[in-house]
Amino acid sequence: MESQDAFDDDAAAREALASIEDVRAGIADRAAAPTGFYAYLGVGAALLTVSMAARGWQPVIFAVALAIVLSSVFWYRRSTGTWDFGNPFVREAWRYWLMIVPFAIGLIVAAITQSLVVATVFAVVTVLLWTVVGPQWDRDYRRALREAS
């Protein structure tokens, strides 16, 4: 027969685990990106891609792109109260890579070819992917926060 201390320890352990789960759920809810965040960030990334091939306008477009990217980071921070970034090196982060890889390829190809048409195509793909896939990645990341062990 177990002693009363064993029952008290079990109850305390269950309470501690429940408390940890509540904290994880709170952090996951708090880390949710604001509506439109990924679309806005995608526009910044797209302009960055276009700036690689925009002769004459490159500094202006690059500055606008940089302003959008930086303001999106601060928007996220103000909205969530955290500096949070998901772990892209887990199996569940495939949506993250679905956004980042085409963007990185677009930057490289636009810089090499200096073709505004190619840069614009990659920019459009970037905005579409980030607008559609970004919120899904955000949801996956928050689910991973809740389930972290």
Side-chain angles (χ1 to χ4, degrees), residues 21-55:
E21 288 177 16
D22 289 345
V23 168
R24 282 187 190 143
I27 290 170
D29 292 341
R30 187 174 179 188
T35 303
F37 170 77
Y38 287 99
Y40 182 64
L41 185 59
V43 168
L47 287 173
L48 189 60
T49 302
V50 169
S51 77
M52 295 294 122
R55 294 181 195 97

Side-chain angles (χ1 to χ4, degrees), residues 107-131:
L107 277 177
I108 293 166
V109 170
I112 291 171
T113 65
Q114 292 292 301
S115 168
L116 192 55
V117 172
V118 170
T120 303
V121 168
F122 275 104
V124 169
V125 168
T126 297
V127 170
L128 292 175
L129 275 175
W130 289 30
T131 299

Side-chain angles (χ1 to χ4, degrees), residues 56-70:
W57 287 92
Q58 187 174 23
V60 173
I61 295 172
F62 183 82
V64 171
L66 188 60
I68 290 173
V69 170
L70 290 176

